[in-house]
Amino acid sequence: MGQYQAQNNRRYDPEAIARYYRYRPWLVFWRACTIIWYFVGFILSLYWDKWQNREEQNKFKRATQLRQILTHLGPTFIKVGQALSTRPDLIRKDFLEELVKLQDQLPPFDNAIAFRTIETELNRSVQDVYSEISPHPVAAASLGQVYRARLHSGEEVAVKVQRPNLRPVLTLDLYLMRWTAGWISSWLPLNLGHDLKMIVDEFGTKLFEEIDYLNEARNAEKFATNFRNDLRVKVPAIYWRFTATRVLTLEWIHGFKLTDTQSIREAGLDTDTLIEIGVTAGLQQLLEHGFFHADPHPGNLFAMPDGRMAYIDFGMMDQLNELTKETLVDAIVHLVNKDYTELAADFVKLGFLTPDTNICPIVPALEAVLGEAIGQSVGDFNFKSVTDSFSELMYDYPFRVPAQFALIIRSLVTQEGIALSLNPNFKIVEVSYPYVARRLLTGETPQLRRRLLNVLFKNGKFQWERLENLIAIAQADKRFDLLPTAQLGIQYLLSEEGKFLRQQFLLALTEDDRLHTAEVQRIWNLVKGELQPNRILNVALDAITEISKERTAAILPVVNAFAVFPKQK
């Protein structure tokens, strides 16, 4: 297996990488010495502070020192620092705050090397591909750098070129990280060390995907397909003829970074609208498509002059399964309804708690952490404050962050930071929950309809206030149209699937031996402005017609089947 070229393998394979470096111990030794030198110095500094009783005084200095060490050690460790900045279960609070600031900006590498990479990857000269290209990169990051260019056909493009010898550096660092994770996991508390190797493997998988530009191009097109009907979201087009594993050519985006608030305001763009687009698009990625952008930092999001938001850099993406998407909807609903027992059960389903965990003592802790969250501005309620609180809970209760959720947390915290920079008083809950309410009320899938029932019924009793809240909150979403929702609701009530709801609704009207006319009147007051009687009649007739068509369609094959038989004499 010594002939295996780890640096040429496009997919992360920890076992193959281990076999490769087992025959090259000198490479492992020198890199390990370099890493150990830096971290031993850092650990000695921590002990020195302890001996001198200066821990509290120097804690921010040491956090800065850690960030600088990670930056000096190169691309892998910069990415590790960014990942750790979202892991309250793995790193203490003061370090967490400093690593959030970690930037992956590095000096650009030599143009000659970049242009040679373009020619090697595309098998043609730079002049043959581009009619013009910027003499220097317009942006440089830990994994590559970007040039501004123009094709011979006239389109303006961005050309992303990968750093040289990147794969061997990453594979060696990942090998050392995985070996270290296996060695120290037995020394850590169970909730911290149980899956350290899995965390490294998840990180390695995503890192290898990020440096495969063909994979990034496919991700961009899949993302564009998901948002094809949303005119507010822009995804750059990919030029496949000029794209390879280490070179990516895509449409140039004209716009402003979301942190450039001055340019955004000078262009006459509304910051609240931009935040709303970002929050809603993020929720769609997590709860509808399941395919989400895991690295939406300000350099990857642009406000365009026409008001659209453009996403770029699709190297770090992830896919959620249906159960996870549905449970996330549940968790948001339970959070807003302050149902902390059910929320604790959601944490079990999502993997934050093991199935055998006794959640009874955890429920009060969740209430203490999240109880005041709803209704506050993003400046007071934010994911960072929640992760800070959870960093303390991690040591008192057996919480753990599943590897996949590290990417989700990273995405949410980053998007929230952008919202804070644009408008510290923007109420993120006022955007996110109306979206969830609209999704529940439209109930376009059986799973969502079941979740609506779970929201509306508690312990067998119909929750009138929750229905009122859902309608009121959904109406805060400007795109919410009550009429189609009413039509879907009537169709569902008349269908076989809605039989249970019909029975429960009739029971709810006469619950506790009284007719609940007051509750019905309150709901009617909410919707009467949008549901005029003649419009309701039309909607009801359409719904009945639709149900009739479905039943006719179901019966027709049976009728046709009997029609082919000769009549009995």
Side-chain angles (χ1 to χ4, degrees):
M1 288 297 168
Q3 298 301 314
Y4 176 79
Q5 296 296 310
Q7 62 267 40
N8 293 327
N9 189 31
R10 288 171 58 180
R11 290 186 177 275
Y12 175 70
D13 184 342
E15 300 303 327
I17 290 172
R19 288 193 298 269
Y20 177 79
Y21 284 110
R22 196 174 297 131
Y23 290 93
R24 293 159 178 81
W26 61 93
L27 296 175
V28 178
F29 176 78
W30 287 115
R31 182 58 173 168
C33 286
T34 302
I35 296 168
I36 290 169
W37 174 261
Y38 279 104
F39 281 107
V40 166
F42 174 69
I43 292 168
L44 289 177
S45 297
L46 293 176
Y47 276 107
W48 179 255
D49 290 341
K50 186 176 181 180
W51 293 331
Q52 297 294 312
N53 200 25
R54 295 165 64 93
E55 286 180 289
E56 187 66 24
Q57 182 180 344
N58 287 345
K59 67 178 183 179
F60 295 111
K61 178 181 177 182
R62 296 308 170 208
T64 302
Q65 183 182 354
L66 175 61
R67 176 174 57 82
Q68 292 170 341
I69 287 171
L70 295 174
T71 302
H72 185 83
L73 286 173
T76 316
F77 285 87
I78 291 170
K79 292 291 183 183
V80 168
Q82 292 173 339
L84 285 174
S85 69
T86 65
R87 297 305 303 259
D89 57 335
L90 297 181
I91 193 164
R92 71 190 208 194
K93 182 178 176 180
D94 49 315
F95 288 173
L96 200 72
E97 292 174 348
E98 183 64 26
L99 292 182
V100 167
K101 305 174 186 175
L102 191 65
Q103 299 296 320
D104 60 353
Q105 293 297 316
L106 291 176
F109 61 92
D110 192 345
N111 277 345
I113 297 174
F115 291 163
R116 190 159 59 247
T117 300
I118 292 173
E119 293 179 341
T120 301
E121 289 288 305
L122 302 183
N123 199 27
R124 64 187 83 181
S125 70
V126 172
Q127 292 77 17
D128 285 345
V129 180
Y130 311 107
S131 61
E132 55 184 273
I133 189 168
S134 57
H136 303 288
V138 295
S142 59
L143 303 182
Q145 59 194 37
V146 178
Y147 294 86
R148 189 171 182 173
R150 190 175 297 276
L151 299 177
H152 288 285
S153 53
E155 294 99 327
E156 196 172 11
V157 295
V159 184
K160 189 174 176 181
V161 186
Q162 194 173 111
R163 288 185 177 273
N165 302 316
L166 191 56
R167 201 172 295 269
V169 172
L170 298 181
T171 54
L172 179 53
D173 285 344
L174 288 167
Y175 169 73
L176 286 168
M177 286 178 187
R178 196 172 191 273
W179 181 86
T180 305
W183 183 73
I184 68 171
S185 60
S186 59
W187 297 86
L188 294 173
L190 181 62
N191 60 317
L192 301 185
H194 82 289
D195 63 350
L196 274 184
K197 275 191 174 182
M198 289 172 57
I199 291 171
V200 173
D201 288 344
E202 178 77 11
F203 174 69
T205 299
K206 294 303 170 189
L207 202 51
F208 266 53
E209 290 176 358
E210 193 171 358
I211 63 174
D212 180 357
Y213 289 171
L214 289 172
N215 179 69
E216 180 175 345
R218 288 190 292 268
N219 286 342
E221 292 203 334
K222 181 176 180 179
F223 193 89
T225 300
N226 288 343
F227 283 93
R228 63 189 179 278
N229 296 322
D230 192 335
L231 301 179
R232 306 177 306 164
V233 175
K234 168 67 178 174
V235 179
I238 303 297
Y239 294 89
W240 284 100
R241 287 198 304 147
F242 313 118
T243 293
T245 303
R246 295 193 296 150
V247 175
L248 174 61
T249 302
L250 64 162
E251 178 184 358
W252 181 266
I253 294 295
H254 292 274
F256 318 101
K257 287 186 179 180
L258 289 189
T259 48
D260 187 0
T261 53
Q262 182 178 347
S263 297
I264 288 172
R265 290 193 176 98
E266 287 175 356
L269 300 174
D270 181 59
T271 54
D272 281 5
T273 300
L274 288 170
I275 299 172
E276 184 179 345
I277 295 171
V279 172
T280 305
L283 289 167
Q284 284 180 283
Q285 292 169 50
L286 289 174
L287 305 180
E288 286 185 49
H289 310 141
F291 185 65
F292 67 95
H293 198 298
D295 194 20
H297 64 71
N300 291 339
L301 292 171
F302 287 83
M304 299 181 70
D306 60 6
R308 288 182 295 171
M309 180 180 288
Y311 284 81
I312 65 169
D313 194 349
F314 298 90
M316 190 175 289
M317 308 289 291
D318 206 0
Q319 181 75 49
L320 301 178
N321 60 38
E322 286 298 321
L323 179 60
T324 301
K325 289 193 296 181
E326 293 164 15
T327 308
L328 283 172
V329 172
D330 287 345
I332 294 172
V333 171
H334 294 146
L335 173 62
V336 175
N337 288 333
K338 298 187 178 182
D339 193 340
Y340 299 106
T341 302
E342 292 297 329
L343 185 60
D346 294 332
F347 277 118
V348 174
K349 293 176 188 175
L350 293 171
F352 286 85
L353 296 166
T354 57
D356 59 347
T357 302
N358 178 15
I359 63 174
C360 292
I362 295 173
V363 172
L366 286 175
E367 186 170 1
V369 170
L370 301 171
E372 300 302 319
I374 305 306
Q376 296 181 356
S377 74
V378 73
D380 299 319
F381 164 61
N382 52 51
F383 293 106
K384 183 180 179 304
S385 66
V386 172
T387 55
D388 285 348
S389 300
F390 266 107
S391 66
E392 299 169 8
L393 285 180
M394 293 287 176
Y395 293 93
D396 297 326
Y397 303 97
F399 279 101
R400 58 193 188 185
V401 179
Q404 187 178 50
F405 275 89
L407 291 174
I408 295 176
I409 294 169
R410 172 193 175 95
S411 175
L412 293 174
V413 169
T414 307
Q415 289 186 72
E416 177 195 66
I418 295 170
L420 277 167
S421 68
L422 290 172
N423 180 359
N425 296 315
F426 186 86
K427 293 185 178 179
I428 196 167
V429 174
E430 290 185 1
V431 174
S432 57
Y433 196 56
Y435 166 83
V436 175
R438 177 170 58 84
R439 288 273 291 151
L440 285 170
L441 286 171
T442 52
E444 61 266 30
T445 66
Q447 293 82 3
L448 280 174
R449 288 195 286 270
R450 282 198 296 271
R451 268 146 184 80
L452 177 60
L453 293 179
N454 291 338
V455 171
L456 296 181
F457 289 93
K458 185 176 182 180
N459 299 327
K461 288 195 172 185
F462 190 81
Q463 305 296 302
W464 291 95
E465 287 187 5
R466 289 188 180 181
L467 179 58
E468 290 178 57
N469 290 338
L470 273 178
I471 294 172
I473 292 170
Q475 287 174 328
D477 189 334
K478 299 180 183 66
R479 297 180 299 165
F480 178 68
D481 187 352
L482 199 56
L483 270 178
T485 303
Q487 183 169 353
L488 284 170
I490 293 171
Q491 286 177 9
Y492 179 58
L493 280 171
L494 296 177
S495 68
E496 282 299 314
E497 188 185 354
K499 183 178 180 180
F500 171 77
L501 183 58
R502 289 199 302 273
Q503 294 170 346
Q504 292 299 312
F505 187 70
L506 290 172
L507 289 173
L509 285 172
T510 56
E511 201 170 43
D512 300 325
D513 298 322
R514 68 183 182 88
L515 194 61
H516 288 253
T517 54
E519 288 86 346
V520 174
Q521 182 64 46
R522 287 201 304 269
I523 292 171
W524 172 248
N525 289 337
L526 277 175
V527 303
K528 65 182 180 182
E530 298 178 53
L531 298 181
Q532 299 301 327
N534 60 328
R535 300 182 75 193
I536 295 176
L537 181 60
N538 291 335
V539 164
L541 289 173
D542 289 343
I544 293 169
T545 302
E546 191 65 31
I547 291 291
S548 299
K549 285 180 182 177
E550 290 175 5
R551 291 179 176 173
T552 302
I555 296 170
L556 197 58
V558 179
V559 174
N560 291 338
F562 279 103
V564 299
F565 289 99
K567 292 181 179 179
Q568 298 295 323
K569 294 183 180 180

